[in-house]
Amino acid sequence: MMAGMKVSGKAWKFGDDVNTDLIVPGKYLELVDPHEMAKHAMEGVDPDFPGKVSEGDVVVGGSNFGCGSSREHAAIALKYVGVGAVVAESFARIFYRNAINLGLPALECPGISEAVSEGDSLEIDLTGGKVVNATTGKELDFVPLPGFMVEVLGEGGLVTYIRNHLDEW
Amino acid sequence: MGYTVSEKILARASGKEEARAGEIVKASVDVAMMPDLTTILAVNAMKAMGVEKIWDTDKVVIILDHVAPASTLLAAEIHRDIRKFAKEQELKHLYDVNSGVCHQVLPEKGHVKPGRLVIGADSHTCTHGAFGAFATGVGSTDMGAILATGKTWLRVPETIKVKVDGRLPDWVAPKDVILHTAGQIGADGATYDALEFAGETIKDMSVSGRMTLCNMAIEMGGKAGIVEPDDKTFDFLNERTDGVYDPVHADDNAVYKSTLNVDAESLEPQIACPHKVDNVKPISEVAGLKINQAFVGSCTNGRLEDLEVAASILQGRSVHEDVRLLVVPASAEVYLQALDSGVIQDLVEAGAMFSNPSCGACFGGHIGLLAPGEVGLTSSNRNFRGRQGSPEAWVYLASPAVTAASAVAGEITHPRDL
């Protein structure tokens, strides 16, 4: 389903418990344009992030990434600012669903914070279940996604998935 | 082996004989609730899925609460577009900006019943487990799929039982129970899990207090918070619903992931310190800390009994000259109750500001922001950095009683020490 899906880019490191208020502060929840949300990605932690990140870069989080509010603005902002994947020690439930629903790979990968330094080049093989730190040569396996989420991600997110499978729902 | 409340409700909702923790089910949603700030994204998602009409005009509920009334043009446009959408769709349940916070309005208006599957596009949807429903929050794309199909996929959660026994001491509230629980379990200790609250203390607790408990399940990563329904639940619901219920109870031999025992008698008021909800300390370790602003309100603690306890403390006293005290009822119904009971008079005479129902003061919306360096004490649910204004402000969480007493003293204070 995810044959050939690869992400490669620079690592941007964040700590534990990065909540969605930090990813997109409450004052921007009135935005409905994804590109406008992207201008505020990670504003609560690093207001300069949108200017520094490049297409395909990887956000590396600690434990409980994306906790707190259900605001999909957080996952939308990361996707539209160009983030190719979020890899974290662990995720909060709603952010995890939101990211996959948007077609933004969210990969649980114990040990990732130790194995990666800011700016390392990462290559993620979604099919093979591996995160490779090309800077250090270190390889880590990520926790496989549940079957249904693999399908959703493989079809580019929940919008396309439902459109393709509306009859079955 | 028996079943937990979550397993039973999700089995029923997915039309299966049984559902076990860990299983993924496709469930039919009984109530789909959206607040103002997530509705447009969900509607856009539904339309992008190729669907123009919501699946059921009676099961979708929209509540304009986060920016109520609109304080920006963007919010005004969102509200305008939602009202138009509701008309076009012939939606039966749109609660406008005069109604209150979604998690208070939804049960007040009879949309929540025991055994139901309630999905909301807001993380504090877990509040409705206080009525024995399975209720959880999702993002807007998930909600878009529900609007389109009436269904969603859910992983049946494992359940942590939180067993609370003993009489709560004077000035110790349900909020202190849940803050203590969050401190014990941790901010991600219940990720993907349901929390079932049980024990003598819960049986004795009001519906309002049970809502406070379930409301904060998400602050431990929980998918749902649940209290089994009893006569108190039905007393609250009877005048609001058709009175036909399908209550669900856990089996005696249900399988729990773990059990946390809480001794209510030994609790003192609890404070969650910056910037994490699980950074919880007994008040004796934090007392004396100067505050600039105090807030009583929100879906966690904006009900009549919360306002009453605050008023009882403020009656005949004054808010400290260095403190702003903001009180926001959780709904129009609570507002009216507070008018009737004289609570508002007591609060305003003491120097509190009383505002119309909305979520604004809790999430750094349109009222009550903190400046850099300021300290806020709040009865709401999150003390994240920047949540209530400046990222350089400090937010502490407490019960309404502690918040009110501290507003009088100008520093974090146990109500008994006033």
Side-chain angles (χ1 to χ4, degrees), chain A residues 17 19 21 29-30 64 68-70 72-73 91 93-94 97-98 101 148-149 158-159 163 166 168-169, chain B residues 26 41 48-49 72 78 122-123 136-142 151-153 187-188 223 276 382 384 387:
Chain A
D17 300 299
N19 61 63
D21 271 82
L29 296 186
E30 294 162 8
N64 203 24
S69 160
S70 68
E72 197 154 312
H73 307 62
F91 287 94
R93 188 183 63 79
I94 305 177
R97 277 183 83 122
N98 288 347
N101 284 345
F148 178 71
M149 297 196 110
L158 191 65
V159 165
R163 207 163 54 210
L166 202 53
E168 301 154 38
W169 281 72
Chain B
K26 193 195 282 182
L41 295 179
M49 288 164 189
T72 66
I78 284 175
D122 186 279
S123 62
T136 195
V138 296
S140 294
T141 303
D142 267 324
K151 297 189 187 70
T152 193
W153 68 272
D188 62 352
K223 188 167 191 162
K276 285 182 65 188
R382 288 188 177 133
F384 299 161
R387 170 87 175 174

Side-chain angles (χ1 to χ4, degrees), chain A residues 76-99:
Chain A
I76 295 172
L78 292 179
K79 179 182 159 137
Y80 279 83
V81 84
V83 169
V86 184
V87 187
E89 299 285 338
S90 66
F91 287 94
R93 188 183 63 79
I94 305 177
F95 176 87
Y96 185 73
R97 277 183 83 122
N98 288 347

